[in-house]
Amino acid sequence: SAGEGAPRERLFDLAANYDQGPLHLGAGYSKEGNAKQFAVRGLYEMGAFTFGAYVQRETVDGVPGPDSRTIGRVSGMYALGASEFHVNVGGTKAGGSFGLSGAKQYTFGYNYNLSKRTKVYGYYTAIDNTAKNKAGDFSSLAAGIRHNF
C-alpha cells in the first residue's frame, strides 16, 4: 500500500499460486509494521476425493518480545453425484497476547449441488478452546442455500 497519509503503516503483500491439473499450491507473505505472516497451502484432486491443507505463521514483534502463533488445517471432500461430504480439522498453538495454548476446530459438512451455481448445505462445527481463560468451547449447527452470481 502506498501509505499516503493513511493512519496505518505501509502494507506489503506477496502471493504466488501454482495450478497443474489436479495439484494446486500457493504461498503468501504479508508485512505491516511489526506484524508479519507467511502461509503455504496445497490441494490435490483425486477422482471423487479432494484433499487440502494449509499452515500459517503469524508474528508481531513487540515489547518485551514477539507474540506468534501457528495455524493449520487439513480437509477432505468426497463427491458422489450432486452430493459433497466434507470433513476438516484445524487448530492453532499460540503464545503471548494471542492466547495461552490455542484451540482446535472440527467441521463436518454436506452440500447438495442444485446447479453449477446453487447449492444447499448443512454443517456442524465444534471448537475445543484449550485456552480456558478465553472464550469457552463452542459448537454450531447450520443450514442454508448459496447462489453464486
Side-chain angles (χ1 to χ4, degrees):
S1 64
E4 299 165 341
R8 298 174 52 140
E9 302 234 11
R10 287 184 185 223
L11 171 67
F12 175 77
D13 194 19
L14 177 67
N17 290 297
Y18 173 82
D19 288 311
Q20 183 63 43
L23 180 63
H24 311 277
L25 302 173
Y29 174 80
S30 298
K31 183 175 186 329
E32 181 179 12
N34 292 331
K36 58 188 171 191
Q37 71 85 27
F38 177 75
V40 293
R41 60 122 182 129
L43 183 90
Y44 190 75
E45 300 165 313
M46 188 172 29
F49 293 94
T50 301
F51 303 97
Y54 76 84
V55 65
Q56 178 179 350
R57 180 73 177 166
E58 296 180 334
T59 304
V60 177
D61 292 325
V63 177
D67 287 331
S68 63
R69 67 178 167 186
T70 301
I71 305 161
R73 181 170 302 277
V74 294
S75 62
M77 179 187 78
Y78 177 71
L80 179 64
S83 295
E84 299 173 354
F85 301 89
H86 296 261
V87 62
N88 72 68
V89 61
T92 181
K93 178 123 176 110
S97 63
F98 283 135
L100 294 179
S101 56
K104 295 178 188 74
Q105 180 180 16
Y106 309 91
T107 304
F108 303 94
Y110 174 77
N111 294 336
Y112 185 81
N113 295 292
L114 298 170
S115 70
K116 280 186 157 189
R117 299 186 311 157
T118 305
K119 67 174 67 178
V120 292
Y121 66 88
Y123 69 85
Y124 171 78
T125 189
I127 296 174
D128 176 14
N129 189 353
T130 56
K132 298 297 184 188
N133 64 331
K134 303 283 185 176
D137 294 342
F138 172 82
S139 65
S140 176
L141 186 62
I145 187 167
R146 186 183 85 188
H147 179 77
N148 292 322
F149 292 93

